[in-house]
């Protein structure tokens, strides 16, 4: 098992560039199943989740070529409607692939997934959504069996806002017969990126980026080319790293409009930053003060930046309250921050209070999930002494070779077996 050895407390310097967004790339790549024409996606991060998706796509017959960060996919002939259970279980986004196979082949078998470290990840909204399009859903030993002779456009109201369920229903509707209306849809920039590309390829989608999306089904899509948008979550993590280590680093290649609420929180905290359209420069010497934060669906404060922000609050003057509203298991990593010297009290699984500032010390840590994992890397780089981070597979799921990129700005971080 690989782990990171981090010697903290060193100031960082230089420029770090943000890669393409995992949560956009996964969906853009999977959407190749909607056509038999070549589908070219660039700026794809080389991360574990993408590699698993590519394996699943190859497994069902998609031709895949890679040139650096550009993938050319062609779903000319599909050879199976059964998703490899072992890989599909590792990847939450595989349910999207299931929906797409259904559109393409009229049926699909995919495994049931259990809970995961950030809490239960139910699929009830997907199942209700599929049914609204006329899909027959059977639960079998292997998982779910979905089938449909013809998909019919539907009116579907999401009971709660769900990112992947919104994307799954959009992908269902694009080639369905007639009109689809989706209400209470998620508004994430990754959804807008997906729909812009689909529209370029012949789809008729209106309203993406708002809670009301309308789709007129078309007969076919043509292939095309698309560049994945910058990863706003990676960008936010690197900015917090600069603040935590009090380092003049510049984060480039981001889209600052995707982080409006994040910036507004950093302003309230007292962070000294220069934000431009595609970059953010951290100016050392910020006097950080505690604020209360509630995660929220986009455009609110992203749940995926909650862990780095909580780490930042360990260095802010005063008492802060962090309320994680989206997932029910996304605060347990705070126990490890306490082992490092932070003062975090868990009020309930959704809320922690942090008394700051606290000096942090290097410890042996375990990465529970992608985002808490990177938050621990940030804490370790700001801490005094050496930390060992285990289970870094989780970090590799979302961040491309993070140790190489952080080393270039002066971080003392090594990957060892
Ligand atoms: N939910 C249900 N039923 C469903 C689907 C979702 O109750 O059928 C609930 C979830 O349990 C959660 C809430 O709805 O409480 C919102 O979850 P959502 O469906 O929006 O999450 P997701 O689509 O599974 C995506 C990202 C996550 C990110 C969330 C929230 C991808 C592949 N994943 O997950 O990203 O945290 O949206 O923004 O896009 C990550 O990148 O580390 C990550 C976990």
């Amino acid at each position: 098992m690989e782990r990171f050895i981090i010697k903290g407390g060193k100031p960082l310097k230089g420029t770090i560039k943000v890669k393409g967004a995992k949560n956009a790339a996964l969906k853009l790549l999977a959407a190749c199943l909607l056509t038999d024409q070549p589908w070219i996606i660039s700026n794809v991060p080389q991360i574990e989740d993408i590699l698993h998706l590519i394996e699943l796509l190859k497994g069902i017959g998609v031709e895949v070529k890679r040139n650096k960060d550009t993938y050319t996919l062609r779903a000319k002939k599909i050879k199976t409607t059964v998703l490899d259970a072992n890989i599909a279980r590792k990847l939450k986004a595989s349910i999207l692939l299931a929906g797409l196979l259904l559109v393409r082949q009229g049926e699909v078998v995919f495994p049931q997934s259990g809970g995961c470290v950030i809490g239960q990840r139910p699929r009830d909204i997907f199942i209700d959504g599929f049914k609204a399009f006329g899909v027959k859903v059977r639960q079998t030993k292997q998982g779910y069996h979905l089938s449909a002779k013809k998909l019919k456009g539907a009116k579907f109201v999401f009971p709660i806002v769900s990112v992947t369920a919104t994307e799954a229903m959009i992908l269902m509707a694009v080639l369905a017969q007639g009109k689809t209306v989706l209400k209470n849809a998620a508004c994430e920039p990754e959804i807008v990126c997906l729909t812009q590309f689909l529209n370029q390829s012949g789809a008729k989608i209106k309203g993406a980026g708002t809670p009301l999306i309308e789709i007129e089904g078309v007969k076919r899509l043509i292939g095309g080319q698309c560049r994945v948008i910058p990863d706003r979550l990676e960008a936010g993590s690197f900015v917090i790293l600069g603040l935590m280590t009090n380092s003049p680093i510049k984060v480039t290649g981001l889209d600052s409009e995707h982080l409006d609420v994040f910036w507004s929180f950093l302003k309230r905290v007292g962070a000294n930053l220069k934000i431009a359209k595609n970059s953010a420069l951290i100016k050392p010497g910020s006097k950080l003060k505690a604020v209360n934060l509630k995660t929220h669906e986009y455009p609110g404060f992203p749940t995926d930046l909650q862990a780095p922000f909580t780490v930042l609050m360990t260095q802010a003057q005063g008492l802060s309250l962090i309320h994680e509203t989206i997932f029910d298991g996304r605060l347990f990593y705070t126990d490890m921050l306490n082992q490092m010297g932070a003062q975090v009290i868990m009020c309930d699984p959704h809320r922690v209070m942090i008394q700051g500032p606290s000096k942090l010390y290097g410890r042996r840590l375990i990465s529970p999930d992608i985002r808490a994992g990177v938050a621990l890397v940030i804490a370790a780089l700001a801490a005094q002494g050496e930390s060992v981070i285990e289970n870094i597979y989780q970090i590799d799921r979302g961040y491309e070779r993070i140790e190489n990129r952080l080393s270039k700005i002066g971080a003392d971080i090594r990957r060892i077996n």
Side-chain angles (χ1 to χ4, degrees):
M1 288 287 252
E2 291 184 324
R3 60 188 70 157
F4 285 143
I5 309 286
I6 295 177
K7 289 201 179 100
K10 296 199 172 156
L12 311 178
K13 205 175 156 194
T15 297
I16 186 158
K17 192 164 180 234
V18 168
K19 299 275 175 187
K22 164 179 87 79
N23 291 343
L26 285 168
K27 330 304 169 56
L28 287 165
L29 291 166
C32 72
L33 288 175
L34 290 175
T35 173
D36 58 6
Q37 300 296 306
W39 199 249
I40 304 166
I41 312 290
S42 62
N43 200 27
V44 178
Q46 284 305 295
I47 52 176
E48 290 291 331
D49 275 15
I50 295 287
L51 300 181
H52 284 138
L53 177 78
I54 294 293
E55 259 183 272
L56 278 175
L57 286 170
K58 283 183 177 167
I60 57 174
V62 177
E63 295 164 17
V64 182
K65 285 190 199 134
R66 177 166 88 88
N67 180 9
K68 294 184 184 152
D69 69 3
T70 301
Y71 280 89
T72 303
L73 306 117
R74 191 153 191 195
K76 238 176 165 176
K77 210 162 176 200
I78 302 302
K79 57 183 193 205
T80 173
T81 52
V82 182
L83 286 182
D84 181 316
N86 288 330
I87 312 174
R89 273 200 200 93
K90 285 189 196 158
L91 190 70
K92 293 289 153 190
S94 58
I95 191 159
L96 269 182
L97 210 54
L100 283 159
L101 258 185
L102 176 73
V103 175
R104 181 71 187 255
Q105 300 295 94
E107 71 165 346
V108 64
V109 178
F110 70 99
Q112 223 149 9
S113 74
C116 78
V117 284
I118 63 173
Q120 283 300 315
R121 307 285 289 272
R123 289 173 158 186
D124 50 335
I125 304 175
F126 292 87
I127 301 301
D128 290 349
F130 290 151
K131 285 180 183 166
F133 282 88
V135 176
K136 277 199 192 129
V137 181
R138 269 192 310 125
Q139 257 181 298
T140 65
K141 247 194 198 165
Q142 291 159 289
Y144 290 101
H145 180 269
L146 308 182
S147 59
K149 284 216 172 77
K150 206 170 226 170
L151 294 169
K152 292 212 170 95
K155 179 178 170 195
F156 187 69
V157 181
F158 295 93
I160 53 172
V161 177
S162 165
V163 176
T164 314
T166 298
E167 291 160 338
M169 295 315 131
I170 292 172
L171 293 167
M172 275 282 163
V174 162
L175 296 177
Q177 200 177 45
K179 184 171 175 172
T180 292
V181 178
L182 303 175
K183 289 190 175 175
N184 198 24
C187 305
E188 268 64 6
E190 292 76 17
I191 297 177
V192 177
C193 174
L194 174 67
T195 55
Q196 280 172 348
F197 182 41
L198 292 171
N199 281 345
Q200 257 181 50
S201 309
K204 290 190 175 161
I205 308 165
K206 280 197 309 197
T210 78
L212 175 66
I213 301 180
E214 292 177 292
I215 302 148
E216 204 61 63
V218 296
K219 288 227 155 54
R220 58 187 292 269
L221 290 190
I222 50 168
Q225 287 195 29
C226 171
R227 185 174 170 81
V228 177
I229 54 170
D231 196 317
R232 62 196 164 98
L233 308 169
E234 188 172 84
S237 309
F238 292 156
V239 167
I240 289 184
L241 172 66
L243 290 168
M244 278 295 287
T245 53
N246 201 24
S247 303
I249 61 172
K250 187 172 182 185
V251 184
T252 60
L254 52 78
D255 186 334
S256 58
E257 270 192 23
H258 295 164
L259 286 156
D260 281 339
V261 172
F262 175 72
W263 304 132
S264 84
F265 268 91
L266 290 188
K267 203 169 165 198
R268 293 174 73 198
V269 164
N272 204 353
L273 295 175
K274 189 170 171 220
I275 302 159
K277 192 169 182 291
N278 299 116
S279 67
L281 175 69
I282 292 94
K283 298 183 182 170
S286 301
K287 287 208 163 46
L288 303 176
K289 50 181 191 287
V291 297
N292 296 342
L293 173 108
K294 243 188 196 185
T295 58
H296 198 282
E297 294 88 8
Y298 192 84
F301 192 98
T303 168
D304 293 322
L305 283 173
Q306 172 266 111
F309 192 85
T310 301
V311 168
L312 186 67
M313 285 303 92
T314 67
Q315 301 310 304
Q317 186 75 42
L319 186 68
S320 44
L321 174 70
I322 306 289
H323 188 167
E324 167 56 59
T325 63
I326 312 284
F327 292 110
D328 51 15
R330 229 179 186 182
L331 285 170
F332 297 121
Y333 69 92
T334 53
D335 197 32
M336 281 181 277
L337 296 182
N338 282 341
Q339 288 167 29
M340 297 178 85
Q343 296 179 67
V344 186
I345 297 170
M346 183 164 282
C347 314
D348 62 49
H350 283 277
R351 285 174 306 166
V352 290
M353 284 191 315
I354 305 133
Q355 180 66 54
S358 301
K359 201 161 174 45
L360 301 181
Y361 298 93
R363 291 284 181 265
R364 182 167 283 266
L365 307 162
I366 302 169
S367 167
D369 68 272
I370 309 179
R371 310 297 168 189
V374 97
L376 293 177
V377 169
I378 295 171
L381 286 169
Q384 195 181 319
E386 185 175 288
S387 294
V388 178
I389 304 189
E390 315 257 9
N391 200 29
I392 58 173
Y393 162 74
Q394 284 296 335
I395 301 171
D396 292 337
R397 285 184 52 208
Y399 296 85
E400 182 178 323
R401 281 280 158 181
I402 197 169
E403 74 280 17
N404 295 349
R405 296 157 71 207
L406 293 179
S407 297
K408 286 194 183 134
I409 55 167
D412 191 339
I413 173 170
R414 280 179 301 128
R415 178 187 291 260
I416 59 157
N417 257 315

